[in-house]
Amino acid sequence: IFTTIVLAGFFIMTMIFRYEGRFPTYAAYSGQEGLSRYESYVGTYVDPLPELEDLGQPADVEFHHFANRSAALLGSDCSTLICTYSPEDYAAMTENLESNASADWNTLCTLDGFAFRWSWFEDYNINILLTATNDETHEILWACYDYYDVDELIDIPDPERFLLEDCGWKYIR
């Protein structure tokens, strides 16, 4: 009986909260709170996002976290850091970013003025590391996309849909 009740509840919740079979949640923080949340995040998780001391002197900081859970409670997370710099600091940071970029960086697309590039990062599972620069607004973005149900490299056939839907970009900009 207990199993039947649990399965019925699961089915009802899936029907009530269905969003293409997913349950997205989104959180955004800016300024000092964004910096504090990011510092807490970087100290908790193992991923390729930069440490605070590697950010230089940003004029503003945004930290976004997008979780997209399926009905089976598997899904993805994307944590995004966007730093706004003065023109001089932006030039220095982009030069540093270019000089440290690995050979396997791939151009993904341009969206809302940001030129996105991506690479794979493997720790306990497979992540996609995204970086983007916006020359007009002097912003640099770092994002880590973590898909829990993937144990091999995947292809990104529709980059804009991937950024908007899977990484939560439609909530950020």
Side-chain angles (χ1 to χ4, degrees):
I1 290 183
F2 178 73
T3 304
T4 304
I5 292 171
V6 169
L7 288 175
F10 179 73
F11 178 74
I12 290 169
M13 294 302 283
T14 301
M15 293 297 114
I16 292 172
F17 296 108
R18 186 165 185 159
Y19 176 77
E20 296 178 6
R22 300 177 184 184
F23 305 99
T25 58
Y26 173 73
Y29 310 95
S30 61
Q32 190 58 42
E33 184 180 9
L35 203 55
S36 297
R37 294 283 182 148
Y38 180 72
E39 182 177 31
S40 173
Y41 175 83
V42 169
T44 305
Y45 298 99
V46 176
D47 64 32
L49 294 175
E51 297 289 333
L52 282 178
E53 57 269 7
D54 297 331
L55 298 178
Q57 298 295 321
D60 191 25
V61 174
E62 297 174 42
F63 180 62
H64 304 267
H65 184 78
F66 180 69
N68 204 0
R69 301 288 180 257
S70 69
L73 300 180
L74 294 173
S76 63
D77 283 305
C78 188
S79 298
T80 304
L81 176 71
I82 303 173
C83 293
T84 305
Y85 293 94
S86 69
E88 298 79 22
D89 289 341
Y90 177 77
M93 289 298 294
T94 53
E95 183 178 315
N96 186 36
L97 193 64
E98 292 294 327
S99 66
N100 291 327
S102 65
D104 62 345
W105 280 97
N106 303 291
T107 299
L108 191 58
C109 68
T110 300
L111 189 61
D112 295 328
F114 283 88
F116 283 89
R117 296 180 307 172
W118 64 278
S119 182
W120 296 106
F121 170 74
E122 295 185 52
D123 53 7
Y124 59 93
N125 62 346
I126 295 174
N127 297 314
I128 297 173
L129 175 63
L130 300 161
T131 61
T133 54
N134 188 325
D135 293 337
E136 293 176 18
T137 59
H138 304 116
E139 292 175 299
I140 299 177
L141 171 148
W142 293 269
C144 183
Y145 175 79
D146 188 0
Y147 187 67
Y148 300 116
D149 201 27
V150 171
D151 57 1
E152 60 185 48
L153 302 181
I154 59 173
D155 189 24
I156 304 174
D158 185 354
E160 286 190 19
R161 193 201 83 42
F162 170 73
L163 291 168
L164 291 168
E165 301 292 330
D166 296 333
C167 296
W169 187 254
K170 66 182 179 182
Y171 300 105
I172 297 172
R173 292 285 195 258

